[in-house]
Amino acid sequence: MRIGLALLAISAPSAMADRPWEPAAAPAKLRSDLPLAGSWHSVATSHGGLIVAQREAVPHDDAPQVVAIDGTSPAKPYPDGSWYDAASPAEHRIFSATAISADMRGDIWLLDSGDSTRGNAGAKILHFDGDTGQLRKAWPLPAQIVVANSHFTAVQVHLPYIYLADEGRPALATLDTRDGRGRRFLADDPSLRGRRAMIVAGAPVMRDGHPVERDVSMLALTPDAHWLFYQPPCGPLYRLDTALLTDPAYSPVEQLDGIVEWRDTPTLGGLAIDRNNTLYLIDRAAGRLLSFDAARMPRILLSDPRLTQGGNPGLENAQDMLDVPVGGDHPGILRISLPPS
């Protein structure tokens, strides 16, 4: 297996030969727009069609940070409160939801970064049944992966492993649900660091007179969990064989050697991947939905100025609909019909 991985790294196509993004012969189409007050960061969709959305935390704002929408009735807080009671452990209660995703079964996984004022105390992963919203289990983030200033901003799941991105102290991490143990990888590796300014709607994002550069905060996992894609919002996009993160026989040097720069990207709001390993990218720089398939063909599927405020999207069960959270002047969820991949 080591030889195979080494050969893969040597023979992997270089991102230096990136083709330009070109309009797709069969474009995507905007199907509907679900208005939703707030600035929305991520969505995940259960197999039952329930859309679960996570918004940016706002100080002193008591509005629900995570809501569920079934497409017909108003948004409701998610979970609905029945998942805990006075007898439930205090560490089960959400302090700060920072990422959300759905697994291949359509169950919902919520990343709670805990109480940042107390060194991420209570940080955990919550697993909810996708149909009922009932809590299946909570996994505290183990001490092996939480370090000073950790801020976990992406989660992907293919049991028994949970994959995490730590933007606060750039690293990838795994949690093994069989024993609750965790491991950190590639700490401060250049592939995890933001090296370019964020560009939104054609202009650099500035803070205190300086351009904003964010570190790794996006993950996408192939359905068979063979490949993990990751990147800072401004790219590039990297690919890594998950065996390098789950098999302790591999050394840190082999992990570094396994990093493949897969594609340069504009500033992204989020990533999703379908059953055919086609990646969907929310281009915030120009307001576009992009795709990049397994054959490495870059396509422009849709242009819409609202996508400059787009966040991390979710794929519906049939994998022909992309739900994209948007903020700005017209916040809500854009439901986009995808062409066959």
Side-chain angles (χ1 to χ4, degrees):
M1 182 164 61
R2 291 172 184 262
I3 294 175
L5 283 168
L7 289 175
L8 176 64
I10 293 170
S11 62
S14 169
M16 294 179 65
D18 284 346
R19 298 183 178 93
W21 302 99
E22 297 180 351
K29 296 180 180 179
L30 182 63
R31 177 172 168 181
S32 62
D33 180 356
L34 301 177
L36 195 60
S39 181
W40 298 92
H41 178 269
S42 300
V43 298
T45 308
S46 75
H47 280 189
L50 190 70
I51 300 171
V52 182
Q54 172 239 331
R55 71 184 182 97
E56 300 286 358
V58 178
H60 313 299
D61 185 347
D62 293 331
Q65 197 184 351
V66 182
V67 300
I69 308 165
D70 64 11
T72 57
S73 59
K76 299 178 181 178
Y78 186 93
D80 62 10
S82 62
W83 65 293
Y84 68 77
D85 55 32
S88 297
E91 63 269 19
H92 283 187
R93 299 172 187 246
I94 299 173
F95 288 108
S96 179
T98 55
I100 194 168
S101 68
D103 64 19
M104 291 304 295
R105 300 188 304 178
D107 282 354
I108 302 297
W109 296 79
L110 190 148
L111 171 57
D112 168 21
S113 66
D115 185 349
S116 60
T117 66
R118 297 191 298 122
N120 299 105
K124 57 193 171 294
I125 302 291
L126 301 171
H127 176 197
F128 294 96
D129 184 281
D131 295 322
T132 67
Q134 294 297 306
L135 180 69
R136 287 182 174 270
K137 192 168 182 179
W139 280 274
L141 294 191
Q144 299 100 323
I145 66 174
V146 180
V147 299
N149 299 317
S150 280
H151 182 58
F152 294 94
T153 51
V155 58
Q156 291 289 307
V157 180
H158 191 284
L159 294 176
Y161 292 103
I162 298 172
Y163 301 85
L164 302 162
D166 185 351
E167 182 179 0
R169 289 286 298 276
L172 301 179
T174 60
L175 189 156
D176 189 334
T177 61
R178 294 169 296 187
D179 58 15
R181 295 183 62 82
R183 300 173 65 199
R184 285 177 68 89
F185 306 92
L186 307 178
D188 290 318
D189 184 79
S191 68
L192 304 172
R193 303 305 303 264
R195 290 168 284 164
R196 295 181 292 199
M198 293 184 63
I199 305 295
V200 174
V205 177
M206 307 293 289
R207 182 182 298 148
D208 299 327
H210 300 282
V212 173
E213 300 175 357
R214 288 183 56 192
D215 296 324
V216 62
S217 63
M218 297 178 188
L219 297 177
L221 186 66
T222 57
D224 61 2
H226 188 175
W227 301 107
L228 181 70
F229 293 90
Y230 67 91
Q231 72 167 73
C234 297
L237 176 68
Y238 296 89
R239 192 181 79 165
L240 191 66
D241 192 310
T242 56
L244 293 164
L245 307 181
T246 58
D247 185 345
Y250 288 109
S251 69
V253 171
E254 289 171 304
Q255 292 159 2
L256 289 170
D257 287 344
I259 297 171
V260 176
E261 185 175 329
W262 197 241
R263 167 79 208 195
D264 199 12
T265 71
T267 297
L268 299 186
L271 295 169
I273 192 167
D274 71 10
R275 58 176 171 254
N276 295 318
N277 293 342
T278 295
L279 284 154
Y280 299 96
L281 307 88
I282 307 303
D283 173 8
R284 298 192 68 188
R288 302 179 298 181
L289 171 61
L290 309 174
S291 70
F292 193 60
D293 63 21
R296 300 175 60 82
M297 296 302 297
R299 294 287 183 255
I300 303 168
L301 299 182
L302 180 73
S303 293
D304 189 304
R306 288 172 291 186
L307 292 174
T308 61
Q309 301 298 318
N312 206 53
L315 276 165
E316 296 198 13
N317 182 34
Q319 308 247 336
D320 59 0
M321 180 73 69
L322 195 72
D323 298 319
V324 184
V326 293
D329 295 333
H330 303 284
I333 297 173
L334 304 181
R335 308 190 75 199
I336 299 172
S337 295
L338 297 172
S341 65

